[in-house]
Amino acid sequence: MIEIEIDQGSGFCFGVVNAIKSAERELQKDGNLYCLGDLVHNSLEMERLKKLGLKTINHEGFSRLKDKTVLLRAHGEPPSTYNIAENRRIKIVDATCPVVLKLQRRIHDCYQEITGLNTQLVIYGKKGHAEVNGLVGQTKGTAIVIEKPEDLGRLDFSREIMLFSQTTKPLDGFWEIVGEIKVRMKDGVGFLYFDTICRQVANRLPKIKDFVSKHDWIYFVAGQKSSNGKMLFEECKKANPNITFISESSEITKPLPSGVRKVGVCGATSTPKWLMEEVASRIEKLNL
């Protein structure tokens, strides 16, 4: 008999839950709502919201709207987006995650303080990521984005550095960057760094690795666009090589190998609980 367990720590973080609830509330009013970018990096959840009336647009489409209602997702947006909304009489439903919003304000205040000084404001994050674009926007595009140690050559270690992090980056990666910068800084030059990583996301990594290590086989459920999903999957694979990445239950087409008794289902911060439950049902049907 196969035992199937869904990881209770997987699924939407509170920022995404808040954004989806905000979208559902607005759609219940008149069924007409735009969202700037994918509300969540999961195609099945986006399809569900589309059926409720949500229309997804990009920044180009946003700049052409007028007198409409637009939801800003949990990742946050730069000040330029709010300026466009004001000029185009667009009503904003702001679902920016509170953790991201707090970081935006902190970076903005820091930028104001160092303007005119010889200080480099640096963000550890994924270049082009929606959250990072919003953070860089707080500095009028002047912040330097560092994604990996190889990018550090872009910094001047004879000038003061202030380092922040994208909220969803891994803690170990942040501390690796901090260590590398410390080694390269010229004597007497200031280096301030701030751990601004969301603990709900950061703490998920050790917990999910513990979960996968306790099962014979793992199905990891996430959307193909989810950077958080890709990162978690690679880390889970280190803890248990018997793991399969899927985006929907229909991708499971055959029974599990003989000898498998304990099966785990887990996923990314953008994976809905209903989808993991659907996967668990599919596993059960194929392994009766």
Side-chain angles (χ1 to χ4, degrees):
M1 185 71 179
I2 287 179
E3 179 188 334
I4 304 166
E5 183 184 6
I6 297 173
D7 176 29
Q8 294 307 306
S10 289
F12 295 150
C13 61
F14 76 91
V16 173
V17 169
N18 176 61
I20 290 173
K21 284 181 178 177
S22 296
E24 290 172 337
R25 266 195 309 271
E26 287 297 317
L27 289 166
Q28 281 175 359
K29 292 178 184 176
D30 61 8
N32 190 17
L33 177 68
Y34 292 86
C35 182
L36 186 50
D38 285 345
L39 182 56
V40 59
H41 289 148
N42 186 280
S43 59
L44 296 181
E45 179 65 7
M46 287 304 300
E47 190 61 35
R48 184 186 75 83
L49 292 167
K50 183 179 178 182
K51 287 175 182 175
L52 295 178
L54 185 69
K55 303 176 186 71
T56 303
I57 55 171
N58 57 21
H59 281 83
E60 185 181 346
F62 175 73
S63 64
R64 292 198 298 265
L65 288 180
K66 199 165 190 176
D67 300 311
K68 300 293 183 181
T69 301
V70 178
L71 182 137
L72 303 185
R73 55 195 178 161
H75 297 102
E77 285 290 324
S80 57
T81 298
Y82 296 87
N83 293 336
I84 291 170
E86 187 176 355
N87 294 333
R88 304 288 294 179
R89 295 198 302 272
I90 294 170
K91 177 191 171 187
I92 291 293
V93 178
D94 200 338
T96 302
C97 171
V99 176
V100 174
L101 196 58
K102 182 179 178 182
L103 177 56
Q104 284 186 348
R105 290 170 179 157
R106 194 170 174 185
I107 287 177
H108 174 76
D109 291 346
C110 176
Y111 171 71
Q112 297 282 81
E113 289 172 14
I114 67 172
T115 297
L117 303 178
N118 198 28
T119 301
Q120 301 161 94
L121 199 157
V122 182
I123 297 169
Y124 167 55
K126 185 176 182 181
K127 193 165 187 177
H129 188 281
E131 182 191 327
V132 173
N133 290 343
L135 299 177
V136 172
Q138 306 302 318
T139 70
K140 295 184 178 179
T142 61
I144 303 167
V145 179
I146 297 299
E147 193 169 348
K148 50 190 182 298
E150 290 79 6
D151 298 333
L152 291 175
R154 299 176 57 208
L155 303 182
D156 181 351
F157 298 101
S158 65
R159 293 168 53 203
E160 185 176 87
I161 291 173
M162 298 186 78
L163 174 71
F164 293 87
S165 176
Q166 176 184 337
T167 63
T168 53
K169 292 298 280 181
L171 271 168
D172 56 352
F174 173 75
W175 292 115
E176 181 184 11
I177 292 292
V178 169
E180 286 286 339
I181 293 176
K182 280 183 175 179
V183 169
R184 303 189 196 189
M185 292 301 291
K186 302 293 184 185
D187 289 344
V189 179
F191 171 40
L192 296 175
Y193 50 91
F194 308 97
D195 171 5
T196 51
I197 292 169
C198 174
R199 284 307 183 267
Q200 189 179 6
V201 175
N203 292 340
R204 186 165 291 189
L205 182 55
K207 289 179 180 178
I208 199 171
K209 288 179 79 170
D210 181 60
F211 174 82
V212 302
S213 68
K214 294 175 180 176
H215 295 79
D216 303 323
W217 197 275
I218 294 290
Y219 281 105
F220 186 93
V221 191
Q224 295 293 336
K225 293 182 182 179
S226 172
S227 55
N228 170 260
K230 289 172 186 173
M231 180 275 288
L232 285 176
F233 175 72
E234 290 303 321
E235 291 298 322
C236 286
K237 195 157 63 172
K238 294 174 186 175
N240 188 343
N242 296 322
I243 185 169
T244 303
F245 186 107
I246 59 171
S247 294
E248 52 187 287
S249 60
S250 61
E251 293 175 44
I252 307 173
T253 57
K254 56 186 179 181
L256 288 158
S258 60
V260 172
R261 292 290 174 266
K262 293 185 70 177
V263 183
V265 178
C266 56
T269 55
S270 54
T271 304
K273 273 289 196 307
W274 65 260
L275 180 54
M276 287 186 282
E277 289 167 357
E278 197 175 274
V279 167
S281 295
R282 175 75 170 171
I283 297 166
E284 189 174 20
K285 285 177 185 175
L286 285 173
N287 293 275
L288 289 174

